[in-house]
Amino acid sequence: DQEDGLLVEKRRARALSDILVLLDSHGAPPYLHGIMQRAQELQAAHLEELRKDLRMRVEDEVRQELDQERVQLHAEVECQRRNLQEQEEDMRHRFEEQWLKMRAEFEESARAVARDQIEPMAKDIVETTEKKAGARGWRCELM
C-alpha cells in the first residue's frame, strides 16, 4: 500500500518533469484563434494611436514651454538693453558735466595766468613804449 503510493508519486513527478521539459523546449508561438488575433491587432493599433497622441501632446507642451522661455528671454534682453542705455546716458551726462567743469577750470586758470604773468609784461611794454615815445615827444593813450 505504501509502496504503491510511492510508486504513483514517482510516476507523477516524472510525468510532470517530462511535461515541463517539453514545454520549455517548445519555441513556437502559442496558437491564437482568429478572434484573439483580431483583438491583438486592434490592441496594437490602439496602443500605437495612444503613443502618437502622447507624443503629440508632449511635443506641444515642449513647444509651449520653449515659447514661454523665449518670451522670458526676450523680456530679459530688453530689460538689460534698457539698463545699459540708462547707464550709457548717465555716463554721458557725467562726462559732459566733468568736461564743462574741467573747461571752466582751464579757462579760469588761463585767466589767472594772463592776469598774473601777461598783464605785467603788457604794462612793462606800454611803459617802455611811453618812455621812448615821450623822449621823441609822442604820447600813447591806450591805457
Side-chain angles (χ1 to χ4, degrees):
D1 200 21
Q2 194 176 18
E3 289 179 16
D4 288 337
L6 286 174
L7 188 59
V8 169
E9 193 61 35
K10 284 182 183 180
R11 284 184 193 160
R12 189 178 310 155
R14 191 177 330 133
L16 186 58
S17 71
D18 288 345
I19 289 173
L20 288 175
V21 167
L22 181 64
L23 288 174
D24 285 341
S25 65
H26 185 71
Y31 173 75
L32 294 177
H33 293 282
I35 294 173
M36 294 299 291
Q37 190 170 11
R38 181 69 180 143
Q40 184 182 16
E41 291 171 359
L42 289 174
Q43 183 183 20
H46 179 68
L47 288 175
E48 185 60 32
E49 186 178 316
L50 288 175
R51 281 187 202 105
K52 286 180 183 178
D53 184 47
L54 180 62
R55 185 178 302 121
M56 285 176 23
R57 281 190 289 156
V58 167
E59 287 175 355
D60 288 342
E61 288 176 8
V62 168
R63 280 190 196 103
Q64 288 175 352
E65 289 176 9
L66 288 174
D67 288 342
Q68 289 174 352
E69 289 177 6
R70 188 177 300 119
V71 167
Q72 288 174 349
L73 286 175
H74 284 301
E76 287 180 30
V77 166
E78 286 301 316
C79 181
Q80 292 292 332
R81 186 173 289 139
R82 282 191 302 272
N83 287 341
L84 284 174
Q85 287 174 345
E86 290 171 3
Q87 288 176 355
E88 286 177 2
E89 190 66 27
D90 183 47
M91 290 176 75
R92 188 177 4 264
H93 286 298
R94 287 191 336 204
F95 172 75
E96 288 173 6
E97 289 172 2
Q98 288 293 324
W99 173 253
L100 291 174
K101 182 180 174 184
M102 288 176 61
R103 182 176 171 189
E105 289 173 359
F106 175 76
E107 288 174 354
E108 182 61 34
S109 90
R111 285 187 192 107
V113 167
R115 186 174 46 249
D116 295 341
Q117 294 176 1
I118 298 176
E119 192 173 316
M121 285 185 350
K123 283 182 182 179
D124 285 342
I125 293 171
V126 169
E127 288 173 3
T128 307
T129 307
E130 284 178 353
K131 284 180 187 176
K132 287 181 184 179
R136 294 184 184 167
W138 299 335
R139 186 158 186 207
C140 180
E141 296 184 18
L142 290 175
M143 292 188 89

